[in-house]
mmCIF file of all heavy atoms in Angstrom:
data_model
loop_
_atom_site.group_PDB
_atom_site.id
_atom_site.type_symbol
_atom_site.label_atom_id
_atom_site.label_comp_id
_atom_site.label_asym_id
_atom_site.label_seq_id
_atom_site.Cartn_x
_atom_site.Cartn_y
_atom_site.Cartn_z
ATOM 1 N N PHE A 1 -6.434 -7.915 1.789
ATOM 2 C CA PHE A 1 -5.514 -8.989 1.449
ATOM 3 C C PHE A 1 -5.623 -9.324 -0.034
ATOM 4 O O PHE A 1 -6.585 -8.940 -0.702
ATOM 5 C CB PHE A 1 -5.834 -10.257 2.267
ATOM 6 C CG PHE A 1 -7.173 -10.835 1.940
ATOM 7 C CD1 PHE A 1 -7.304 -11.840 0.991
ATOM 8 C CD2 PHE A 1 -8.323 -10.364 2.553
ATOM 9 C CE1 PHE A 1 -8.554 -12.358 0.667
ATOM 10 C CE2 PHE A 1 -9.570 -10.873 2.242
ATOM 11 C CZ PHE A 1 -9.684 -11.877 1.296
ATOM 12 N N ALA A 2 -4.624 -10.043 -0.525
ATOM 13 C CA ALA A 2 -4.646 -10.593 -1.881
ATOM 14 C C ALA A 2 -4.330 -12.079 -1.762
ATOM 15 O O ALA A 2 -3.422 -12.462 -1.022
ATOM 16 C CB ALA A 2 -3.611 -9.905 -2.760
ATOM 17 N N ARG A 3 -5.087 -12.900 -2.496
ATOM 18 C CA ARG A 3 -4.865 -14.349 -2.507
ATOM 19 C C ARG A 3 -4.030 -14.722 -3.717
ATOM 20 O O ARG A 3 -4.215 -14.179 -4.801
ATOM 21 C CB ARG A 3 -6.190 -15.102 -2.606
ATOM 22 C CG ARG A 3 -6.960 -15.136 -1.330
ATOM 23 C CD ARG A 3 -8.245 -15.901 -1.486
ATOM 24 N NE ARG A 3 -7.983 -17.332 -1.675
ATOM 25 C CZ ARG A 3 -8.931 -18.220 -1.919
ATOM 26 N NH1 ARG A 3 -10.189 -17.846 -2.019
ATOM 27 N NH2 ARG A 3 -8.633 -19.482 -2.055
ATOM 28 N N GLN A 4 -3.133 -15.680 -3.515
ATOM 29 C CA GLN A 4 -2.297 -16.203 -4.595
ATOM 30 C C GLN A 4 -1.661 -15.070 -5.399
ATOM 31 O O GLN A 4 -1.690 -15.052 -6.620
ATOM 32 C CB GLN A 4 -3.102 -17.142 -5.493
ATOM 33 C CG GLN A 4 -3.556 -18.407 -4.807
ATOM 34 C CD GLN A 4 -2.384 -19.269 -4.359
ATOM 35 O OE1 GLN A 4 -1.440 -19.486 -5.117
ATOM 36 N NE2 GLN A 4 -2.438 -19.746 -3.122
ATOM 37 N N LYS A 5 -1.109 -14.123 -4.664
ATOM 38 C CA LYS A 5 -0.465 -12.955 -5.270
ATOM 39 C C LYS A 5 0.763 -13.409 -6.058
ATOM 40 O O LYS A 5 1.677 -14.008 -5.520
ATOM 41 C CB LYS A 5 -0.060 -11.970 -4.173
ATOM 42 C CG LYS A 5 0.708 -10.782 -4.625
ATOM 43 C CD LYS A 5 -0.178 -9.673 -5.018
ATOM 44 C CE LYS A 5 0.674 -8.440 -5.296
ATOM 45 N NZ LYS A 5 -0.076 -7.407 -5.880
ATOM 46 N N GLN A 6 0.747 -13.138 -7.344
ATOM 47 C CA GLN A 6 1.842 -13.536 -8.229
ATOM 48 C C GLN A 6 2.860 -12.415 -8.311
ATOM 49 O O GLN A 6 2.515 -11.269 -8.587
ATOM 50 C CB GLN A 6 1.298 -13.852 -9.618
ATOM 51 C CG GLN A 6 2.330 -14.412 -10.557
ATOM 52 C CD GLN A 6 1.704 -14.913 -11.848
ATOM 53 O OE1 GLN A 6 0.587 -15.383 -11.864
ATOM 54 N NE2 GLN A 6 2.447 -14.782 -12.935
ATOM 55 N N LEU A 7 4.117 -12.778 -8.076
ATOM 56 C CA LEU A 7 5.204 -11.805 -8.133
ATOM 57 C C LEU A 7 6.335 -12.349 -9.001
ATOM 58 O O LEU A 7 6.596 -13.552 -9.010
ATOM 59 C CB LEU A 7 5.734 -11.518 -6.719
ATOM 60 C CG LEU A 7 4.741 -10.850 -5.761
ATOM 61 C CD1 LEU A 7 5.328 -10.785 -4.366
ATOM 62 C CD2 LEU A 7 4.375 -9.460 -6.240
ATOM 63 N N PRO A 8 7.016 -11.462 -9.720
ATOM 64 C CA PRO A 8 8.093 -11.912 -10.613
ATOM 65 C C PRO A 8 9.376 -12.237 -9.842
ATOM 66 O O PRO A 8 9.635 -11.682 -8.783
ATOM 67 C CB PRO A 8 8.314 -10.709 -11.523
ATOM 68 C CG PRO A 8 7.898 -9.537 -10.687
ATOM 69 C CD PRO A 8 6.785 -10.026 -9.810
ATOM 70 N N VAL A 9 10.158 -13.137 -10.403
ATOM 71 C CA VAL A 9 11.482 -13.466 -9.879
ATOM 72 C C VAL A 9 12.501 -13.023 -10.922
ATOM 73 O O VAL A 9 12.361 -13.354 -12.100
ATOM 74 C CB VAL A 9 11.635 -14.979 -9.624
ATOM 75 C CG1 VAL A 9 13.043 -15.302 -9.142
ATOM 76 C CG2 VAL A 9 10.595 -15.474 -8.642
ATOM 77 N N THR A 10 13.495 -12.265 -10.474
ATOM 78 C CA THR A 10 14.568 -11.866 -11.380
ATOM 79 C C THR A 10 15.875 -12.438 -10.867
ATOM 80 O O THR A 10 16.079 -12.579 -9.657
ATOM 81 C CB THR A 10 14.689 -10.337 -11.497
ATOM 82 O OG1 THR A 10 14.884 -9.787 -10.204
ATOM 83 C CG2 THR A 10 13.445 -9.720 -12.111
ATOM 84 N N TYR A 11 16.732 -12.766 -11.793
ATOM 85 C CA TYR A 11 18.051 -13.270 -11.472
ATOM 86 C C TYR A 11 19.059 -12.486 -12.306
ATOM 87 O O TYR A 11 18.982 -12.506 -13.535
ATOM 88 C CB TYR A 11 18.150 -14.770 -11.771
ATOM 89 C CG TYR A 11 19.524 -15.331 -11.531
ATOM 90 C CD1 TYR A 11 19.977 -15.554 -10.235
ATOM 91 C CD2 TYR A 11 20.376 -15.600 -12.587
ATOM 92 C CE1 TYR A 11 21.238 -16.051 -10.000
ATOM 93 C CE2 TYR A 11 21.651 -16.103 -12.367
ATOM 94 C CZ TYR A 11 22.068 -16.319 -11.064
ATOM 95 O OH TYR A 11 23.333 -16.811 -10.841
ATOM 96 N N LYS A 12 19.917 -11.767 -11.611
ATOM 97 C CA LYS A 12 20.924 -10.932 -12.274
ATOM 98 C C LYS A 12 20.290 -10.027 -13.336
ATOM 99 O O LYS A 12 20.774 -9.904 -14.455
ATOM 100 C CB LYS A 12 22.037 -11.789 -12.864
ATOM 101 C CG LYS A 12 22.834 -12.509 -11.793
ATOM 102 C CD LYS A 12 24.039 -13.226 -12.350
ATOM 103 C CE LYS A 12 24.826 -13.832 -11.202
ATOM 104 N NZ LYS A 12 26.040 -14.498 -11.672
ATOM 105 N N GLY A 13 19.175 -9.431 -12.940
ATOM 106 C CA GLY A 13 18.507 -8.474 -13.810
ATOM 107 C C GLY A 13 17.599 -9.072 -14.864
ATOM 108 O O GLY A 13 16.954 -8.339 -15.610
ATOM 109 N N GLU A 14 17.518 -10.381 -14.938
ATOM 110 C CA GLU A 14 16.687 -11.046 -15.942
ATOM 111 C C GLU A 14 15.471 -11.693 -15.282
ATOM 112 O O GLU A 14 15.596 -12.344 -14.245
ATOM 113 C CB GLU A 14 17.484 -12.139 -16.665
ATOM 114 C CG GLU A 14 18.676 -11.634 -17.435
ATOM 115 C CD GLU A 14 18.291 -10.788 -18.644
ATOM 116 O OE1 GLU A 14 17.257 -11.089 -19.274
ATOM 117 O OE2 GLU A 14 19.016 -9.829 -18.941
ATOM 118 N N SER A 15 14.317 -11.540 -15.911
ATOM 119 C CA SER A 15 13.110 -12.208 -15.423
ATOM 120 C C SER A 15 13.233 -13.706 -15.679
ATOM 121 O O SER A 15 13.511 -14.127 -16.804
ATOM 122 C CB SER A 15 11.883 -11.650 -16.155
ATOM 123 O OG SER A 15 10.726 -12.320 -15.717
ATOM 124 N N VAL A 16 13.059 -14.515 -14.635
ATOM 125 C CA VAL A 16 13.216 -15.961 -14.774
ATOM 126 C C VAL A 16 11.958 -16.736 -14.387
ATOM 127 O O VAL A 16 11.945 -17.960 -14.436
ATOM 128 C CB VAL A 16 14.421 -16.481 -13.958
ATOM 129 C CG1 VAL A 16 15.720 -15.936 -14.524
ATOM 130 C CG2 VAL A 16 14.278 -16.146 -12.482
ATOM 131 N N GLY A 17 10.903 -16.042 -13.997
ATOM 132 C CA GLY A 17 9.669 -16.735 -13.637
ATOM 133 C C GLY A 17 8.873 -15.942 -12.628
ATOM 134 O O GLY A 17 9.112 -14.753 -12.425
ATOM 135 N N ASP A 18 7.954 -16.625 -12.027
ATOM 136 C CA ASP A 18 7.066 -16.014 -11.040
ATOM 137 C C ASP A 18 6.930 -16.941 -9.836
ATOM 138 O O ASP A 18 7.217 -18.134 -9.926
ATOM 139 C CB ASP A 18 5.669 -15.799 -11.633
ATOM 140 C CG ASP A 18 5.679 -14.850 -12.804
ATOM 141 O OD1 ASP A 18 6.181 -13.728 -12.648
ATOM 142 O OD2 ASP A 18 5.196 -15.242 -13.882
ATOM 143 N N PHE A 19 6.473 -16.387 -8.724
ATOM 144 C CA PHE A 19 6.091 -17.192 -7.579
ATOM 145 C C PHE A 19 4.782 -16.644 -7.042
ATOM 146 O O PHE A 19 4.393 -15.523 -7.368
ATOM 147 C CB PHE A 19 7.188 -17.229 -6.507
ATOM 148 C CG PHE A 19 7.392 -15.925 -5.777
ATOM 149 C CD1 PHE A 19 6.860 -15.728 -4.518
ATOM 150 C CD2 PHE A 19 8.142 -14.905 -6.340
ATOM 151 C CE1 PHE A 19 7.065 -14.529 -3.837
ATOM 152 C CE2 PHE A 19 8.355 -13.707 -5.677
ATOM 153 C CZ PHE A 19 7.810 -13.522 -4.417
ATOM 154 N N ARG A 20 4.103 -17.445 -6.246
ATOM 155 C CA ARG A 20 2.817 -17.031 -5.689
ATOM 156 C C ARG A 20 2.854 -17.082 -4.170
ATOM 157 O O ARG A 20 3.292 -18.066 -3.592
ATOM 158 C CB ARG A 20 1.699 -17.942 -6.183
ATOM 159 C CG ARG A 20 1.378 -17.794 -7.635
ATOM 160 C CD ARG A 20 0.191 -18.701 -8.015
ATOM 161 N NE ARG A 20 0.011 -18.720 -9.440
ATOM 162 C CZ ARG A 20 -0.758 -17.863 -10.109
ATOM 163 N NH1 ARG A 20 -1.400 -16.926 -9.463
ATOM 164 N NH2 ARG A 20 -0.874 -17.955 -11.416
ATOM 165 N N ILE A 21 2.382 -16.012 -3.587
ATOM 166 C CA ILE A 21 2.236 -15.928 -2.139
ATOM 167 C C ILE A 21 0.809 -16.363 -1.811
ATOM 168 O O ILE A 21 -0.142 -15.893 -2.441
ATOM 169 C CB ILE A 21 2.466 -14.482 -1.656
ATOM 170 C CG1 ILE A 21 3.901 -14.046 -1.947
ATOM 171 C CG2 ILE A 21 2.129 -14.337 -0.189
ATOM 172 C CD1 ILE A 21 4.159 -12.579 -1.663
ATOM 173 N N ASP A 22 0.657 -17.274 -0.830
ATOM 174 C CA ASP A 22 -0.694 -17.725 -0.457
ATOM 175 C C ASP A 22 -1.589 -16.523 -0.162
ATOM 176 O O ASP A 22 -2.646 -16.368 -0.759
ATOM 177 C CB ASP A 22 -0.654 -18.658 0.759
ATOM 178 C CG ASP A 22 -0.084 -20.029 0.434
ATOM 179 O OD1 ASP A 22 -0.049 -20.406 -0.757
ATOM 180 O OD2 ASP A 22 0.319 -20.738 1.378
ATOM 181 N N LEU A 23 -1.164 -15.684 0.769
ATOM 182 C CA LEU A 23 -1.899 -14.463 1.103
ATOM 183 C C LEU A 23 -0.902 -13.346 1.379
ATOM 184 O O LEU A 23 0.107 -13.574 2.052
ATOM 185 C CB LEU A 23 -2.764 -14.666 2.355
ATOM 186 C CG LEU A 23 -3.945 -15.618 2.244
ATOM 187 C CD1 LEU A 23 -4.429 -16.019 3.625
ATOM 188 C CD2 LEU A 23 -5.071 -14.984 1.461
ATOM 189 N N LEU A 24 -1.192 -12.183 0.874
ATOM 190 C CA LEU A 24 -0.433 -10.986 1.198
ATOM 191 C C LEU A 24 -1.414 -10.034 1.873
ATOM 192 O O LEU A 24 -2.387 -9.595 1.248
ATOM 193 C CB LEU A 24 0.181 -10.351 -0.047
ATOM 194 C CG LEU A 24 1.013 -9.099 0.193
ATOM 195 C CD1 LEU A 24 2.207 -9.387 1.105
ATOM 196 C CD2 LEU A 24 1.477 -8.501 -1.121
ATOM 197 N N VAL A 25 -1.183 -9.744 3.140
ATOM 198 C CA VAL A 25 -2.129 -8.966 3.941
ATOM 199 C C VAL A 25 -1.649 -7.523 4.056
ATOM 200 O O VAL A 25 -0.501 -7.271 4.435
ATOM 201 C CB VAL A 25 -2.316 -9.601 5.331
ATOM 202 C CG1 VAL A 25 -3.271 -8.773 6.177
ATOM 203 C CG2 VAL A 25 -2.827 -11.029 5.199
ATOM 204 N N GLU A 26 -2.561 -6.604 3.716
ATOM 205 C CA GLU A 26 -2.299 -5.163 3.801
ATOM 206 C C GLU A 26 -1.006 -4.783 3.075
ATOM 207 O O GLU A 26 -0.318 -3.852 3.494
ATOM 208 C CB GLU A 26 -2.247 -4.707 5.265
ATOM 209 C CG GLU A 26 -3.524 -4.903 6.049
ATOM 210 C CD GLU A 26 -4.630 -3.911 5.698
ATOM 211 O OE1 GLU A 26 -4.338 -2.891 5.043
ATOM 212 O OE2 GLU A 26 -5.789 -4.166 6.094
ATOM 213 N N ASP A 27 -0.662 -5.496 2.009
ATOM 214 C CA ASP A 27 0.554 -5.256 1.224
ATOM 215 C C ASP A 27 1.812 -5.281 2.080
ATOM 216 O O ASP A 27 2.832 -4.689 1.708
ATOM 217 C CB ASP A 27 0.476 -3.920 0.471
ATOM 218 C CG ASP A 27 -0.568 -3.938 -0.623
ATOM 219 O OD1 ASP A 27 -0.685 -4.967 -1.314
ATOM 220 O OD2 ASP A 27 -1.267 -2.921 -0.774
ATOM 221 N N GLN A 28 1.752 -5.976 3.239
ATOM 222 C CA GLN A 28 2.872 -5.946 4.164
ATOM 223 C C GLN A 28 3.276 -7.317 4.703
ATOM 224 O O GLN A 28 4.455 -7.575 4.880
ATOM 225 C CB GLN A 28 2.531 -5.060 5.378
ATOM 226 C CG GLN A 28 2.223 -3.639 5.043
ATOM 227 C CD GLN A 28 1.684 -2.897 6.251
ATOM 228 O OE1 GLN A 28 2.040 -3.185 7.384
ATOM 229 N NE2 GLN A 28 0.803 -1.951 6.015
ATOM 230 N N VAL A 29 2.309 -8.162 5.005
ATOM 231 C CA VAL A 29 2.587 -9.417 5.705
ATOM 232 C C VAL A 29 2.349 -10.596 4.760
ATOM 233 O O VAL A 29 1.250 -10.768 4.238
ATOM 234 C CB VAL A 29 1.715 -9.566 6.973
ATOM 235 C CG1 VAL A 29 2.027 -10.871 7.696
ATOM 236 C CG2 VAL A 29 1.914 -8.380 7.906
ATOM 237 N N VAL A 30 3.386 -11.407 4.566
ATOM 238 C CA VAL A 30 3.292 -12.607 3.745
ATOM 239 C C VAL A 30 2.790 -13.748 4.625
ATOM 240 O O VAL A 30 3.341 -13.989 5.702
ATOM 241 C CB VAL A 30 4.662 -12.988 3.147
ATOM 242 C CG1 VAL A 30 4.589 -14.310 2.399
ATOM 243 C CG2 VAL A 30 5.175 -11.890 2.243
ATOM 244 N N ILE A 31 1.755 -14.425 4.159
ATOM 245 C CA ILE A 31 1.212 -15.574 4.883
ATOM 246 C C ILE A 31 1.449 -16.824 4.054
ATOM 247 O O ILE A 31 1.009 -16.898 2.898
ATOM 248 C CB ILE A 31 -0.315 -15.434 5.126
ATOM 249 C CG1 ILE A 31 -0.659 -14.075 5.726
ATOM 250 C CG2 ILE A 31 -0.828 -16.589 5.978
ATOM 251 C CD1 ILE A 31 -0.148 -13.839 7.098
ATOM 252 N N GLU A 32 2.151 -17.786 4.625
ATOM 253 C CA GLU A 32 2.353 -19.088 3.994
ATOM 254 C C GLU A 32 1.569 -20.116 4.806
ATOM 255 O O GLU A 32 1.800 -20.277 6.008
ATOM 256 C CB GLU A 32 3.838 -19.454 3.946
ATOM 257 C CG GLU A 32 4.133 -20.788 3.330
ATOM 258 C CD GLU A 32 3.714 -20.915 1.865
ATOM 259 O OE1 GLU A 32 3.600 -19.882 1.162
ATOM 260 O OE2 GLU A 32 3.484 -22.050 1.434
ATOM 261 N N LEU A 33 0.607 -20.751 4.146
ATOM 262 C CA LEU A 33 -0.264 -21.711 4.824
ATOM 263 C C LEU A 33 0.183 -23.130 4.546
ATOM 264 O O LEU A 33 0.593 -23.458 3.427
ATOM 265 C CB LEU A 33 -1.706 -21.524 4.354
ATOM 266 C CG LEU A 33 -2.311 -20.139 4.581
ATOM 267 C CD1 LEU A 33 -3.701 -20.073 3.995
ATOM 268 C CD2 LEU A 33 -2.332 -19.795 6.056
ATOM 269 N N LYS A 34 0.054 -23.958 5.555
ATOM 270 C CA LYS A 34 0.344 -25.383 5.440
ATOM 271 C C LYS A 34 -0.754 -26.161 6.157
ATOM 272 O O LYS A 34 -1.431 -25.640 7.035
ATOM 273 C CB LYS A 34 1.706 -25.735 6.069
ATOM 274 C CG LYS A 34 2.889 -25.048 5.450
ATOM 275 C CD LYS A 34 3.122 -25.521 4.035
ATOM 276 C CE LYS A 34 4.315 -24.833 3.398
ATOM 277 N NZ LYS A 34 4.347 -24.994 1.971
ATOM 278 N N SER A 35 -0.876 -27.426 5.764
ATOM 279 C CA SER A 35 -1.724 -28.367 6.483
ATOM 280 C C SER A 35 -1.005 -29.709 6.425
ATOM 281 O O SER A 35 -1.357 -30.588 5.648
ATOM 282 C CB SER A 35 -3.119 -28.456 5.852
ATOM 283 O OG SER A 35 -3.936 -29.338 6.603
ATOM 284 N N VAL A 36 0.047 -29.813 7.248
ATOM 285 C CA VAL A 36 0.930 -30.976 7.208
ATOM 286 C C VAL A 36 1.127 -31.542 8.612
ATOM 287 O O VAL A 36 0.995 -30.836 9.611
ATOM 288 C CB VAL A 36 2.307 -30.610 6.597
ATOM 289 C CG1 VAL A 36 2.165 -30.224 5.131
ATOM 290 C CG2 VAL A 36 2.978 -29.488 7.367
ATOM 291 N N GLU A 37 1.460 -32.833 8.661
ATOM 292 C CA GLU A 37 1.701 -33.480 9.951
ATOM 293 C C GLU A 37 3.015 -33.047 10.572
ATOM 294 O O GLU A 37 3.101 -32.850 11.775
ATOM 295 C CB GLU A 37 1.711 -35.002 9.793
ATOM 296 C CG GLU A 37 0.332 -35.600 9.710
ATOM 297 C CD GLU A 37 0.386 -37.120 9.745
ATOM 298 O OE1 GLU A 37 1.184 -37.686 10.520
ATOM 299 O OE2 GLU A 37 -0.373 -37.723 8.984
ATOM 300 N N ARG A 38 4.040 -32.922 9.746
ATOM 301 C CA ARG A 38 5.366 -32.594 10.255
ATOM 302 C C ARG A 38 5.853 -31.277 9.685
ATOM 303 O O ARG A 38 5.778 -31.055 8.485
ATOM 304 C CB ARG A 38 6.356 -33.690 9.882
ATOM 305 C CG ARG A 38 6.059 -34.967 10.587
ATOM 306 C CD ARG A 38 7.220 -35.919 10.463
ATOM 307 N NE ARG A 38 6.862 -37.158 11.115
ATOM 308 C CZ ARG A 38 7.131 -38.345 10.637
ATOM 309 N NH1 ARG A 38 7.782 -38.458 9.500
ATOM 310 N NH2 ARG A 38 6.785 -39.416 11.295
ATOM 311 N N HIS A 39 6.403 -30.481 10.568
ATOM 312 C CA HIS A 39 7.007 -29.215 10.153
ATOM 313 C C HIS A 39 8.392 -29.506 9.576
ATOM 314 O O HIS A 39 9.175 -30.234 10.172
ATOM 315 C CB HIS A 39 7.116 -28.281 11.358
ATOM 316 C CG HIS A 39 7.796 -26.999 11.052
ATOM 317 N ND1 HIS A 39 7.132 -25.938 10.505
ATOM 318 C CD2 HIS A 39 9.090 -26.621 11.185
ATOM 319 C CE1 HIS A 39 7.991 -24.947 10.324
ATOM 320 N NE2 HIS A 39 9.167 -25.334 10.731
ATOM 321 N N ALA A 40 8.675 -28.952 8.423
ATOM 322 C CA ALA A 40 9.988 -29.112 7.808
ATOM 323 C C ALA A 40 10.682 -27.753 7.729
ATOM 324 O O ALA A 40 10.030 -26.741 7.453
ATOM 325 C CB ALA A 40 9.846 -29.707 6.405
ATOM 326 N N PRO A 41 11.991 -27.706 7.968
ATOM 327 C CA PRO A 41 12.719 -26.435 7.892
ATOM 328 C C PRO A 41 12.579 -25.739 6.535
ATOM 329 O O PRO A 41 12.664 -24.516 6.459
ATOM 330 C CB PRO A 41 14.171 -26.840 8.150
ATOM 331 C CG PRO A 41 14.075 -28.108 8.943
ATOM 332 C CD PRO A 41 12.843 -28.801 8.430
ATOM 333 N N VAL A 42 12.332 -26.503 5.476
ATOM 334 C CA VAL A 42 12.183 -25.894 4.153
ATOM 335 C C VAL A 42 10.976 -24.956 4.106
ATOM 336 O O VAL A 42 10.966 -23.996 3.336
ATOM 337 C CB VAL A 42 12.108 -26.968 3.041
ATOM 338 C CG1 VAL A 42 10.786 -27.725 3.081
ATOM 339 C CG2 VAL A 42 12.344 -26.353 1.679
ATOM 340 N N PHE A 43 9.959 -25.190 4.945
ATOM 341 C CA PHE A 43 8.796 -24.293 4.983
ATOM 342 C C PHE A 43 9.216 -22.897 5.427
ATOM 343 O O PHE A 43 8.765 -21.892 4.885
ATOM 344 C CB PHE A 43 7.705 -24.815 5.913
ATOM 345 C CG PHE A 43 7.158 -26.168 5.558
ATOM 346 C CD1 PHE A 43 6.651 -26.985 6.536
ATOM 347 C CD2 PHE A 43 7.149 -26.633 4.243
ATOM 348 C CE1 PHE A 43 6.125 -28.237 6.235
ATOM 349 C CE2 PHE A 43 6.638 -27.878 3.922
ATOM 350 C CZ PHE A 43 6.126 -28.681 4.923
ATOM 351 N N GLU A 44 10.085 -22.839 6.425
ATOM 352 C CA GLU A 44 10.581 -21.549 6.910
ATOM 353 C C GLU A 44 11.438 -20.881 5.838
ATOM 354 O O GLU A 44 11.315 -19.677 5.609
ATOM 355 C CB GLU A 44 11.393 -21.742 8.189
ATOM 356 C CG GLU A 44 10.552 -22.240 9.341
ATOM 357 C CD GLU A 44 11.368 -22.504 10.596
ATOM 358 O OE1 GLU A 44 12.540 -22.048 10.675
ATOM 359 O OE2 GLU A 44 10.830 -23.152 11.510
ATOM 360 N N ALA A 45 12.292 -21.661 5.189
ATOM 361 C CA ALA A 45 13.142 -21.119 4.124
ATOM 362 C C ALA A 45 12.286 -20.586 2.982
ATOM 363 O O ALA A 45 12.589 -19.523 2.411
ATOM 364 C CB ALA A 45 14.102 -22.205 3.624
ATOM 365 N N GLN A 46 11.219 -21.303 2.655
ATOM 366 C CA GLN A 46 10.302 -20.865 1.590
ATOM 367 C C GLN A 46 9.680 -19.519 1.946
ATOM 368 O O GLN A 46 9.670 -18.591 1.139
ATOM 369 C CB GLN A 46 9.218 -21.931 1.407
ATOM 370 C CG GLN A 46 8.182 -21.598 0.354
ATOM 371 C CD GLN A 46 7.076 -22.650 0.298
ATOM 372 O OE1 GLN A 46 6.799 -23.350 1.277
ATOM 373 N NE2 GLN A 46 6.447 -22.750 -0.843
ATOM 374 N N LEU A 47 9.172 -19.397 3.159
ATOM 375 C CA LEU A 47 8.566 -18.137 3.588
ATOM 376 C C LEU A 47 9.587 -17.010 3.559
ATOM 377 O O LEU A 47 9.294 -15.914 3.062
ATOM 378 C CB LEU A 47 7.959 -18.273 4.991
ATOM 379 C CG LEU A 47 7.411 -16.987 5.600
ATOM 380 C CD1 LEU A 47 6.296 -16.387 4.737
ATOM 381 C CD2 LEU A 47 6.925 -17.224 7.015
ATOM 382 N N LEU A 48 10.784 -17.257 4.051
ATOM 383 C CA LEU A 48 11.816 -16.218 4.046
ATOM 384 C C LEU A 48 12.179 -15.792 2.626
ATOM 385 O O LEU A 48 12.399 -14.606 2.363
ATOM 386 C CB LEU A 48 13.050 -16.688 4.816
ATOM 387 C CG LEU A 48 12.844 -16.825 6.331
ATOM 388 C CD1 LEU A 48 14.022 -17.560 6.967
ATOM 389 C CD2 LEU A 48 12.615 -15.476 6.977
#
């Protein structure tokens, strides 16, 4: 696995920033971790 894996974001071919994945397992599975009382739909959208 890799922790806090940083990946670039491009928009219309231009680099516009980076994002971090909590855990990337076996270079295949993205893991988004939470510790919250209420589940919000934005968490699913973020993972997707």
Side-chain angles (χ1 to χ4, degrees):
F1 65 94
R3 284 181 69 184
Q4 294 297 314
K5 175 88 173 170
Q6 186 171 328
L7 296 173
V9 177
T10 57
Y11 177 75
K12 295 187 176 182
E14 298 292 325
S15 178
V16 294
D18 298 306
F19 70 101
R20 291 183 189 270
I21 296 173
D22 288 341
L23 292 163
L24 181 61
V25 179
E26 298 286 346
D27 292 320
Q28 300 171 31
V29 181
V30 175
I31 310 293
E32 179 62 24
L33 301 177
K34 299 293 180 195
S35 182
V36 294
E37 281 188 41
R38 293 194 182 138
H39 176 84
V42 71
F43 300 152
E44 295 177 14
Q46 179 184 25
L47 175 60
L48 291 169

